[in-house]
Amino acid sequence: MIRSSISYLFRQIRSLRFLTVLIIWILIVEDIVSVYRGYVVEQGLRDSIVILPFLQTNAYFMKIIRLAGLCFYSNAPFMEREEMFALQRMGRGRWGMKNILYLLWSSLFLTILLNVICMIADLPAASLTNEWGSVLRTMSVDGAAFGGVFAVDSAILNQFSPLQVLVIQFLLDFAAFYVLGLLLYVVGLFSRRIIAYIVAIAVLFLPSVIGWLNYAGLYFSPFSWIEMTNWRVGYDLSKPDFIYMAAGFLLIILVLVLAGQLRVAKVEWNNQEE
């Protein structure tokens, strides 16, 4: 199962879907980072290479990243005609687990890829030390600095080092990509693929809708936990802490995995490419 799931990932990396995601991510990262990077380089300054967590406070950036992730998993629940042979050879249970493992590896791959793209874009303005520089600290005080392309929370800078923020953000992004893939996969097993798209889009953009309504329920959405300004730092009990996030992601993943495996055992095979 592990070998077949990794092999399937390599096939998807060679697909047009992945090329589309790669181009979109490079363009959106460069579009936002260039403003910040240009000023830093012009002033002869350097700051942390950990830039992705701050980019993810930009609502426009997050919308594009989410839609690109949706594009990558757009072939879920992976029931194209050529998969019939794999299903018959492996059995329903193992075939379902292969898909779940593929989603796991692909989520890890997408998370690494996004971080690498951001670090390369920021490299001319980056310092490899594990300290926050003067540029980000200035932005944490003056939100409009350098065009206000992203938000910087001074509490985050004071509480965590760049490496700690990188690890936290990496785990949250990894879990979010995995939940997105599982959601499309499981809902696609229970209904037509278009329904899975609609459900995934609704869940992805729920934080934005609730945010416009200025409602505290924003933090119940797992996709809102990615943004560092929604992390609980200090005594702000209105925001989720990391234990809440970890437990929430694990529960959602467990429910989706179990639902997917139970459905695979009963689903009627047909071509769901529409």
Side-chain angles (χ1 to χ4, degrees), residues 49-50 66 113 117 160 230 257:
I49 198 171
V50 179
R66 290 166 179 164
L113 176 66
I117 291 173
F160 304 105
N230 293 337
V257 167

Side-chain angles (χ1 to χ4, degrees), residues 79 87 92 189 263-272:
M79 296 182 71
L87 177 70
R92 289 175 177 264
L189 288 173
R263 182 57 177 169
V264 165
K266 299 179 180 180
V267 69
E268 291 296 327
W269 183 270
N270 53 43
N271 182 25
Q272 297 190 7

Side-chain angles (χ1 to χ4, degrees), residues 1 26 30-31 50 61 65 86 122 155 189 199 205 252 260 274:
M1 289 185 296
I26 291 174
E30 177 59 23
D31 180 55
V50 179
F61 177 84
I65 294 300
D122 186 46
L189 288 173
V199 170
F205 291 98
I252 293 169
E274 67 275 4

Side-chain angles (χ1 to χ4, degrees), residues 36-165:
Y36 162 81
R37 183 188 63 222
Y39 179 87
V40 175
V41 172
E42 181 182 336
Q43 298 300 315
L45 302 173
R46 292 274 179 167
D47 214 310
S48 174
I49 198 171
V50 179
I51 195 70
L52 175 59
F54 303 104
L55 295 181
Q56 291 184 324
T57 65
N58 184 298
Y60 173 67
F61 177 84
M62 286 307 300
K63 288 181 175 64
I64 300 300
I65 294 300
R66 290 166 179 164
L67 288 174
L70 190 67
C71 173
F72 183 81
Y73 289 123
S74 61
N75 65 326
F78 322 121
M79 296 182 71
E80 295 85 357
R81 291 189 186 278
E82 60 269 20
E83 283 293 298
M84 182 177 293
F85 172 74
L87 177 70
Q88 294 174 338
R89 178 171 54 85
M90 301 176 66
R92 289 175 177 264
R94 288 173 60 85
W95 181 82
M97 187 54 64
K98 182 209 74 170
N99 291 333
I100 290 169
L101 287 175
Y102 157 70
L103 292 170
L104 182 72
W105 309 137
S106 60
S107 300
L108 179 61
F109 171 74
L110 290 176
T111 306
I112 294 173
L113 176 66
L114 184 56
N115 275 273
V116 169
I117 291 173
C118 291
M119 288 180 179
I120 291 175
D122 186 46
L123 202 56
S127 168
L128 299 181
T129 63
N130 193 30
E131 300 288 341
W132 301 114
S134 60
V135 179
L136 290 174
R137 290 197 178 276
T138 300
M139 292 181 71
S140 71
V141 176
D142 181 6
F146 321 123
V149 290
F150 49 76
V152 180
D153 189 338
S154 60
I156 296 292
L157 301 187
N158 294 331
Q159 186 79 16
F160 304 105
S161 69
L163 181 58
Q164 288 173 323
V165 170

